[in-house]
Amino acid sequence: MTTTDGTEHGTRYDVVVAGAGPVGLFLAGELRLGGASRVLVVERLTEVDETIKAGWINNPSVVALNRRGLLPELTAAREAVRERLRAFRDGEDGVDAAERPRFAGHFAGIMLDPERFDGSGPEWADVDPAAGPGLVLPQAELERVLGRWAERLGVEVRRGVELTGFTEDGAGVAVHLDGQTVHTDRLVGCDGGRSTVRRLAGFEFPGTAPEITGYQALAELRGAERLKAGWNTTDVGTYAHGPFPGRVVTVEFDSPPADRYAPVTAEELEASLRRVSGVPELSVTGVRTATRFTDNARQATEYRRGRVLLAGDAAHVHSPFGGQGLNLGLGDALNLGWKLAAVVRGRAPESLLDTYTAERHPVGAWVLDWTRAQIALMRPDRHARALRRVVEDLAGSSAGTTYLVNRVSGVWQRYDLPGGHPLTGASAPDLPLSDGTRLGEHLRTGRPLLLDLTGFPALRALAAPYADRLTVLTATCPARPALGALLVRPDGFVAWAADADGEAKEDGLTAALERWVGTAGATA
C-alpha cells in the first residue's frame, strides 16, 4: 500500500537501521529513548546468528547496559555461560584444571594474571561496582537481550528482509527492501564489515590489507586432551583452546583465505588445528559453529554523509584480538542514538551530528592500532618472537598487567569536551546519593540529567527551559562532598561539572545545555 506521502505500509520512519545485530538493536533502542517515534530495523537473517563471535563485553558496555536496566537479564544469560566454563575448569574435554592458567584477559595471546593487577588507580575510583572490568557473554545472548529490550520500547524489526538500495534527497531517504520502498529521515548502516549501506553511500574505507587466516569454532574434537588450554604460540602460528569445551581458535600467517565467507568444513578446521598445534592425532568430528577471520583493518574516514550514517563494523573492521569490536560498536550506538533522535525530532541542530564522528573516530582508530600491535606480536618470525618475549616480561609485572587490563577493559575512554573540570568528558561516576539511589539509576530513561548536589537555585533556573527533556535531581553525596553539580548526557558522559566551593557554579552550564540538550523551546 502507498499512502499520499508516497510511503508504503502507511508509515514514514524517523530512522531506518540496516542490521539487527547487537549494534543495530542497541541503536534502535537508544533512538526510541531519545524521542524518535518511528524506528525500523531491517535484517536479512531470519533468526539470531548463532555463529561464535565476540565473547565478552567490556566495562563501558556493561555500564551503559546497566544504566538502561538490562544488567539482570545479562546476568541471567551469563549464568548459563558460567556453567559451561565450570565444566571446562573441572577437567572436561581432557583438560587438567591444575595446568590451566589463571585468566584476566590476554594481549596477543599473552595471558594476564589477575593477581598482578592493581585496581587502585584513578581509572577505577568511580567505576560502577556492578560492572567491573567486563562481563563474559556470547554475542548471540546479548543480541537476544537487546532484541527483547528494543521490542519493549516499540522498535519495529523486520527479519528476512534485505536492503538492496536507497536514494537520498533533501527531504529524506527512500530505502529499497526486496522490491518494497520505505521512506525515512535518516538511514544508519549497522550491516557489518561488508556493509551495503557503506558501499552504496560511497564512504571512503582506507586501511591495511589482511595477512592472516584465522578460525574460531565450537567443534566436536577427538584427541583434545593433547591440546594445551588457553592461548599458545608455536613455530607455525597461534592457537587457543577453551574456555569451554570444543571452543578453538587458530591463527596462521601464510596468507588471507581465498574465500573468507565460504562454509568452514571439519576437514579445513582439523587441518589448521593440526598444523598450528603440532598434534597430528587430533580429529574434528563435527562443527557446531565456525567462522573465518583476518586482520583486515579499515575505518571509514567519516561516519556521516548527508542523511546516511554508519556504526559498528560498517564503520570499522579489524581482527578480533582483544575483544574490542563488539564493544566499539556498542559505544558507537550509545553515542549516536540520542544525538540522531534529537536532530530528527527537531530538538537540536544538524551540527550535533558532527560530534558523532569527532568523538567516536579516535576511539575506533585506537582499536585498529591495538589489534595491529597484537598481530605484530603473534607473527612466527624471529624478530616478532624476540619482541614478544620482551612484552611477555612486561606483562608479567604488576605495572604491565595493570596497563594492559586498563586498556582492554576500556576504563580509559573519555571524550575531549569543553570545560576544565576533571570529570568533564568522562563517564559519570556511579555516585551513591542521599536518597538511597545511585546516579546510574537516574539514566534509565535516556534523558540528560542535571544533578545538583548543593541546592544551588541558579542551576535550576538555567535548566527550567529544558523541563520537557531534562531530568533535574537535587540530592547530596556524602562520599564526594567536594563535588557540586554534574550535567550528564544521555550516553552517561559528563558534559559539565562544578565543585561545591566554586564561586560561580553555573559558569559554562548555559553553553553545555545549548550544545547537548538542545535548543530551548524547540519541538519536543
Side-chain angles (χ1 to χ4, degrees), residues 25-80:
L25 292 170
F26 191 37
L27 174 63
E30 289 295 301
L31 286 164
R32 288 286 292 134
L33 285 179
S37 58
R38 296 175 295 275
V39 179
L40 170 66
V41 180
V42 295
E43 169 59 54
R44 64 179 181 82
L45 299 178
T46 57
E47 302 290 343
V48 172
D49 187 359
E50 299 291 346
T51 303
I52 184 168
K53 294 181 181 178
W56 91 300
I57 48 179
N58 67 8
N59 173 271
S61 297
V62 178
V63 168
L65 294 165
N66 188 33
R67 287 170 174 168
R68 298 302 185 246
L70 295 173
L71 192 57
E73 284 186 80
L74 295 173
T75 301
R78 180 188 61 181
E79 287 307 309

Side-chain angles (χ1 to χ4, degrees), residues 177-251:
L177 307 172
D178 289 338
Q180 297 180 337
T181 299
V182 298
H183 294 264
T184 181
D185 191 81
R186 310 286 164 143
L187 170 65
V188 185
C190 299
D191 50 343
R194 294 186 291 171
S195 171
T196 298
V197 173
R198 184 188 66 232
R199 175 176 55 83
L200 294 179
F203 284 88
E204 295 182 27
F205 203 49
T208 51
E211 299 178 359
I212 70 169
T213 294
Y215 297 92
Q216 181 171 206
L218 283 176
E220 298 167 8
L221 306 175
R222 187 167 59 241
E225 66 275 6
R226 297 287 306 277
L227 294 174
K228 295 181 180 179
W231 287 86
N232 305 275
T233 57
T234 71
D235 291 339
V236 175
T238 297
Y239 78 91
H241 182 208
F244 42 80
R247 189 262 186 174
V248 289
V249 177
T250 67
V251 182

